[in-house]
């Protein structure tokens, strides 16, 4: 029995051996005879890589098609891993990088420096500070992280420097005391590490280099092994000082954004919209990346083929008009500079009353888009904060520009009638508190109270309305609410009990009368003031404000209109709004700004406002003005807010210049163009 069992095992083993031999034989026959050409080709191919090709960003144009942001071609120096010395050959890599650094230095080229280390005055390693880069803390943290030098959080600058020397084989430079050269080489090596340098991911080390540098790299390939010159599309501005807070900026994607967006096709070296329309319309402006296939055979020979051409992004048509924007900025700057030594700042907004399109929006001081990154730290330290977008983010107590809303609310709720009269004796008492008016106005009705900006009239109206009704109408007009623009904006504040509750504070009767004249905690943006004025002007329809008029597809040419979007049609009697508009007309013809508005042909209606602020230990007034034109058939509204201006009337020249320009340029030729344009 045992002998039979052993015999069976032997036979089974023989069968398995024979089957294995036959299997290998068949595979050998298949490889060498049947599919010889296929496997020979496979043997010659080590790796195939897909390299993304960046697409040019889409253009941004004004409402008439005038270019605002386009592209120009420039040259960047890129390290290409397919040709660069291998990762295990530090000496060769460092030698090539040093050659490039010397070339850049000789030709005055700027190159990347994202390693947050520098040498202090004594020549010792030190960390970046806020003076060097605003994001220095996050940069230092990343350098110490596991994806870089993998050091403890408490590691010193010397620890980081030593880790860099070891990681990149820079001992020879450090031993010779040449810390500066070691740091410069290590900086570029660190850039390669941070951006996951590989054949599929070339890394740019110098942007927008000169033709001289390009020629030297191309003529000395062996000396700059692995360095490639690529033609790149760079953002170009028709006027780099025009509308910077609207257009915005682009920059390299950061690690957090890459982690979030890589599944959407973004690469770690891509650029992304940072602010303004560049950020808001990023998905359309970005375009469609192309693709290059890189093949490296067993002998190290490299072949490249563009397998997909990149497609430029879509064209974004804005609602702003280039010339009007220029006028708004010029007049705003002139007015702010005219406020003595107080370094005044401010904003102005122009809106189409009948669809919410923003025709111009300016913030002063501003900045030059071409210098944004070069002068970023300097801009950041400027006490007047030119980077701050005052028309969208600045919130101000609106002063008496709040009164037309109060008048509409009072009339609609029946708290006052068209000819209700309150006697103004300059003083008004609430409980044990006394409030004042600017003058002894005598008997005032709603129209004359708007004209004279009589506080007493609106104190009385507020007591009859109550704060809840006041805020109901304030919200209806969009005050203390975002306007819906594509770029970041502040919400603002409607003063009242609800807001006070957040701070465990009590709302008192005296606060209601203060709120009625645009004081207390009321804080609104110039965008909100302009839209509120437009809502009064057009009879009670509040539109969503917007900067984007349309988008033109680069691939199909199809124009996608954004159109107007009414947010709310106010349930207010047209007759009541007309009464308020008549009062605002009296301000323009008989009030403080009348001399300025009498000098232009277009009839307007407006309301001035002031609010007190403390400046250098003294009480000063911010000035506000809301205006619509023409009075009988409103088309545009304008809101200006000038810090330390003294009065709203003092801002009237900004508005008159804007209205004069708008109607002198839109009466004949421009109107015809707007009617026939595809934009």
């Amino acid at each position: 029995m045992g002998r039979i069992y052993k015999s069976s095992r032997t036979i089974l083993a023989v069968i398995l051996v024979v089957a294995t031999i036959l299997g290998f034989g068949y595979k050998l026959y298949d490889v060498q005879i049947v599919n010889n050409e296929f496997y020979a080709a496979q043997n010659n191919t080590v790796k195939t890589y897909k390299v993304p090709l960046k697409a040019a960003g889409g253009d941004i144009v004004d409402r008439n098609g005038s270019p605002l942001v386009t592209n120009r071609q420039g040259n960047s120096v890129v390290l290409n891993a397919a040709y660069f010395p291998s990762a295990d050959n530090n000496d060769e890599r460092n030698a090539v990088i040093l050659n490039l650094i010397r070339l850049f230095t000789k030709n005055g080229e700027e190159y990347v420096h994202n390693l947050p280390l520098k040498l202090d005055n004594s020549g010792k390693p030190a960390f970046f500070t806020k003076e060097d880069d605003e994001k220095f803390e996050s940069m230092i943290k990343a350098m110490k992280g596991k994806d870089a030098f993998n050091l403890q959080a408490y590691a010193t600058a010397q620890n980081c420097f030593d880790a860099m020397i070891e990681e990149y084989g820079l001992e020879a430079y450090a031993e010779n005391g040449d810390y500066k050269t070691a740091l410069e080489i290590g900086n570029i090596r660190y850039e390669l590490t941070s951006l996951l340098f590989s054949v599929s991911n070339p890394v740019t080390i110098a942007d927008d280099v000169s033709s001289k540098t390009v020629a030297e790299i191309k003529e000395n390939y062996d000396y700059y092994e692995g360095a490639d010159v690529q033609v790149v599309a760079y953002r170009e501005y028709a006027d780099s000082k025009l509308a910077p807070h609207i257009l915005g900026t682009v920059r390299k994607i950061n690690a957090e954004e890459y982690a979030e967006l890589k599944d959407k096709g973004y690469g770690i070296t891509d650029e992304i919209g940072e602010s303004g329309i560049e950020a808001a319309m990023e998905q359309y402006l970005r375009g469609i990346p192309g693709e290059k296939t890189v093949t490296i055979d067993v002998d190290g020979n490299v072949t490249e083929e563009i397998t997909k051409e990149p497609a430029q992004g879509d064209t974004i048509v804005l609602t702003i008009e280039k010339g009007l924007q220029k006028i708004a900025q010029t007049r705003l700057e002139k007015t702010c500079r005219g406020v003595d030594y107080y370094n005044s700042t401010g904003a102005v907004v122009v809106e189409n009353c009948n669809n919410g399109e923003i025709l111009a929006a300016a913030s002063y001081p501003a900045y030059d888009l071409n210098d944004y990154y070069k002068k970023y730290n300097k801009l950041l330290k400027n006490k007047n904060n030119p980077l701050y977008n005052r028309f969208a983010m600045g919130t101000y107590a609106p002063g008496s520009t709040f009164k037309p809303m109060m008048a509409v609310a009072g009339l609609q709720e029946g708290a006052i009638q068209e000819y209700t009269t309150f006697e103004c004796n300059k003083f008004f008492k609430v409980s044990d508190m006394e409030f004042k008016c600017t003058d002894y106005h005598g008997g005032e009705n709603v129209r004359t109270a708007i004209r004279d900006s009589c506080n007493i009239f609106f104190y009385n109206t507020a007591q009859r309305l109550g704060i809840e009704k006041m805020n109901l109408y304030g919200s209806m007009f969009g005050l203390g609410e975002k306007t819906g623009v594509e770029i970041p904006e502040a919400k603002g504040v409607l003063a009242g009990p609800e807001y006070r509750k957040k701070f465990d504070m009590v709302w008192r009767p005296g606060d209601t009368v203060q709120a009625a004249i645009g004081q207390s905690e009321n804080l609104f943006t110039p965008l909100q003031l302009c839209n509120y004025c437009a809502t009064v002007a057009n009879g009670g329809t509040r539109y969503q404000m917007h900067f984007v008029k349309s988008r033109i597809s680069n691939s199909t040419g199809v124009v996608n209109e954004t159109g107007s979007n009414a947010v709310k049609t106010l349930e207010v009697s047209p007759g009541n709004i007309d009464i308020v508009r008549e009062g605002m007309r009296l301000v323009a013809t008989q009030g403080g700004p009348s001399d300025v508005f009498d000098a232009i042909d277009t009839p307007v209606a407006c309301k001035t406002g002031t609010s007190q602020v403390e400046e250098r230990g003294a009480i000063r007034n911010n000035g506000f003005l809301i205006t619509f034109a023409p009075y009988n058939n409103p088309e545009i509204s304008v809101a200006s807010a000038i810090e330390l201006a003294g009065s709203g009337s003092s801002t009237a020249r900004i508005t008159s210049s804007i209205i004069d320009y708008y109607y002198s340029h839109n009466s004949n030729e421009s109107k015809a163009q707007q009617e026939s344009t595809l934009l």
Side-chain angles (χ1 to χ4, degrees):
M1 187 72 178
R3 193 177 297 167
I4 295 173
Y5 176 71
K6 289 179 182 178
S7 176
S8 298
R9 285 196 304 170
T10 302
I11 292 169
L12 181 61
V14 170
I15 291 172
L16 288 173
V17 169
V18 171
T20 301
I21 292 171
L22 288 174
F24 276 116
Y26 175 78
K27 186 65 177 176
L28 189 63
Y29 173 77
D30 179 65
V31 171
Q32 293 189 343
I33 307 298
V34 178
N35 292 305
N36 176 60
E37 291 184 6
F38 171 78
Y39 286 107
Q42 290 293 97
N43 188 52
N44 284 334
T45 300
V46 174
K47 193 75 176 180
T48 298
Y49 303 89
K50 301 295 184 183
V51 180
L53 299 176
K54 294 177 183 177
D59 294 341
I60 302 176
V61 301
D62 85 341
R63 65 185 300 107
N64 297 318
S66 295
L68 298 171
V69 185
T70 54
N71 298 287
R72 64 172 176 82
Q73 288 190 337
N75 295 298
S76 62
V77 178
V78 176
L79 291 182
N80 191 331
Y83 305 96
F84 197 57
S86 64
D88 58 3
N89 198 332
N90 276 324
D91 289 343
E92 287 189 21
R93 281 194 165 193
N94 294 338
V96 171
I97 288 173
L98 181 55
N99 292 340
L100 287 165
I101 289 170
R102 286 170 174 165
L103 175 64
F104 296 152
T105 303
K106 182 185 73 171
N107 292 345
E109 309 287 8
E110 294 185 2
Y111 55 94
V112 293
H113 197 162
N114 292 316
L115 176 69
L117 287 176
K118 61 181 180 178
L119 299 179
D120 62 20
N121 293 333
S122 63
K124 294 181 180 179
F127 289 131
F128 269 13
T129 65
K130 195 172 183 178
E131 302 294 317
D132 305 299
D133 196 297
E134 182 68 17
K135 300 171 289 186
F136 71 102
E137 290 180 345
S138 60
M139 295 171 72
I140 293 169
K141 183 179 178 181
M143 176 178 63
K144 294 178 182 179
K146 64 179 181 178
D147 294 329
F149 298 152
N150 196 23
L151 299 172
Q152 296 294 337
Y154 54 77
T156 65
Q158 185 67 55
N159 295 149
C160 295
F161 184 83
D162 293 341
M164 177 199 75
I165 295 296
E166 182 180 355
E167 178 76 15
Y168 302 134
L170 294 165
E171 290 85 358
Y173 300 97
E175 287 169 5
N176 294 331
D178 193 358
Y179 281 15
K180 184 175 184 296
T181 300
L183 188 59
E184 288 177 341
I185 297 172
N187 161 57
I188 292 182
R189 292 293 302 272
Y190 178 75
E191 186 79 0
L192 302 184
T193 300
S194 301
L195 297 183
L196 309 178
F197 181 55
S198 67
V199 176
S200 298
N201 196 43
V203 171
T204 299
I205 60 170
D207 281 309
D208 213 8
V209 299
S210 65
S211 56
K212 181 180 179 182
T213 297
V214 170
E216 291 192 48
I217 290 175
K218 288 188 173 181
E219 290 168 6
N220 299 278
Y221 175 79
D222 292 338
Y223 197 60
Y224 306 112
E225 184 182 359
D228 190 15
V229 176
Q230 289 187 354
V231 177
V232 178
Y234 291 102
R235 288 314 236 173
E236 184 169 57
Y237 307 100
D239 181 347
S240 60
K241 294 182 179 180
L242 189 74
H245 297 97
I246 299 172
L247 299 177
T249 56
V250 294
R251 58 160 169 75
K252 299 287 186 185
I253 195 170
N254 62 38
E256 292 77 15
E257 290 163 340
Y258 171 65
E260 183 180 338
L261 296 172
K262 62 183 178 181
D263 292 339
K264 295 182 180 179
Y266 282 78
I268 198 168
T269 61
D270 281 358
E271 288 192 331
I272 190 169
E274 178 182 34
S275 61
I277 294 299
E278 292 278 18
M281 304 304 290
E282 160 71 19
Q283 62 176 315
Y284 304 113
L285 288 167
R286 180 173 180 251
I288 303 172
E291 190 175 80
K292 178 171 67 175
T293 301
V294 178
T295 304
I296 307 175
D297 67 21
V298 71
D299 297 319
N301 298 312
V302 180
T303 57
E304 299 180 357
E305 180 187 4
I306 295 177
T307 47
K308 179 184 176 184
E309 292 285 352
Q312 185 177 356
D314 294 346
T315 296
I316 301 300
V317 183
L318 299 186
T319 57
I320 68 171
E321 196 273 317
K322 194 174 180 179
L324 190 66
Q325 178 70 27
K326 183 74 172 177
I327 287 290
Q329 288 185 205
T330 302
R331 296 302 305 187
L332 175 64
E333 178 177 0
K334 186 174 181 180
T335 299
C336 289
R337 283 181 175 273
V339 185
D340 304 325
Y341 56 89
Y342 284 98
N343 297 310
S344 180
T345 60
V348 62
V349 181
V350 187
E351 177 187 359
N352 184 320
C353 294
N354 301 306
N355 58 21
E357 291 181 350
I358 300 171
L359 304 176
S363 178
Y364 180 81
Y367 56 93
D368 188 326
L369 285 163
N370 281 335
D371 294 338
Y372 175 74
Y373 288 108
K374 287 182 182 178
K375 297 183 177 179
Y376 180 76
N377 285 339
K378 186 177 179 182
L379 291 168
L380 207 60
K381 294 173 194 171
N382 188 313
K383 64 181 179 181
N384 286 330
N385 200 355
L387 298 178
Y388 186 55
N389 182 351
R390 288 173 169 81
F391 63 74
M393 299 300 294
T395 56
Y396 304 91
S400 295
T401 58
F402 194 68
K403 291 172 180 174
M405 186 284 296
M406 283 293 301
V408 171
L411 289 166
Q412 189 65 28
E413 290 298 316
I416 58 172
Q417 305 298 322
E418 181 177 357
Y419 295 107
T420 298
T421 301
F422 294 115
E423 192 71 21
C424 172
N425 294 314
K426 195 173 182 179
F427 298 99
F428 189 85
K429 249 190 156 179
V430 178
S431 300
D432 58 345
M433 299 182 69
E434 187 174 70
F435 300 91
K436 294 181 180 181
C437 193
T438 56
D439 205 346
Y440 295 90
H441 292 117
E444 294 270 37
N445 61 41
V446 65
R447 291 183 181 85
T448 60
I450 292 173
R451 178 194 65 191
D452 299 332
S453 204
C454 178
N455 290 346
I456 304 301
F457 184 93
F458 291 100
Y459 291 156
N460 280 286
T461 303
Q463 285 194 321
R464 293 186 177 190
L465 268 176
I467 190 63
E468 287 78 15
K469 288 290 186 183
M470 287 164 55
N471 283 354
L472 172 65
Y473 281 83
S475 295
M476 288 167 61
F477 278 100
L479 297 173
E481 296 186 7
K482 292 186 177 183
T483 65
V485 291
E486 296 85 350
I487 65 177
E489 61 174 324
K491 183 180 180 182
V493 175
L494 265 175
E498 289 301 313
Y499 181 73
R500 286 276 178 92
K501 280 180 186 176
K502 297 177 183 178
F503 306 98
D504 294 324
M505 296 171 65
V506 177
W507 185 262
R508 302 183 186 282
D511 296 319
T512 298
V513 299
Q514 279 286 84
I517 61 168
Q519 301 288 345
S520 187
E521 286 103 359
N522 281 319
L523 294 171
F524 311 132
T525 67
L527 284 176
Q528 290 172 4
L529 292 176
C530 192
N531 204 29
Y532 146 55
C533 181
T535 305
V536 173
N538 67 33
T541 301
R542 176 159 63 95
Y543 290 97
Q544 178 178 324
M545 298 183 84
H546 54 285
F547 283 108
V548 178
K549 184 174 177 62
S550 62
R551 174 173 58 88
I552 304 175
S553 170
N554 182 57
S555 58
T556 65
V558 172
V559 179
N560 299 283
E561 297 283 352
T562 58
S564 60
N565 183 16
V567 177
K568 194 177 193 69
T569 300
L570 277 62
E571 295 180 4
V572 176
S573 160
N576 287 335
I577 289 185
D578 283 343
I579 292 168
V580 173
R581 283 157 38 108
E582 289 165 10
M584 293 176 70
R585 175 62 178 157
L586 292 177
V587 178
T589 57
Q590 300 175 19
S594 60
D595 288 348
V596 175
F597 289 130
D598 283 347
I600 61 174
D601 295 333
T602 308
V604 307
C606 65
K607 184 68 193 84
T608 57
T610 59
S611 61
Q612 290 184 341
V613 291
E614 186 176 332
E615 174 69 17
R616 303 182 187 183
I619 299 298
R620 299 272 294 175
N621 285 330
N622 291 336
F624 305 91
L625 183 66
I626 57 173
T627 309
F628 65 84
Y631 169 65
N632 290 319
N633 187 24
E635 294 178 3
I636 64 171
S637 62
V638 185
S640 58
I642 311 298
E643 297 174 25
L644 313 178
S647 70
S649 296
S650 66
T651 74
R653 293 197 184 280
I654 302 175
T655 301
S656 66
S657 296
I658 287 170
I659 292 171
D660 194 44
Y661 174 89
Y662 182 83
Y663 285 102
S664 65
H665 285 73
N666 286 275
S667 56
N668 298 310
E669 181 181 344
S670 293
K671 273 211 166 172
Q673 183 183 18
Q674 286 183 358
E675 289 171 3
S676 62
T677 183
L678 291 174
L679 303 178

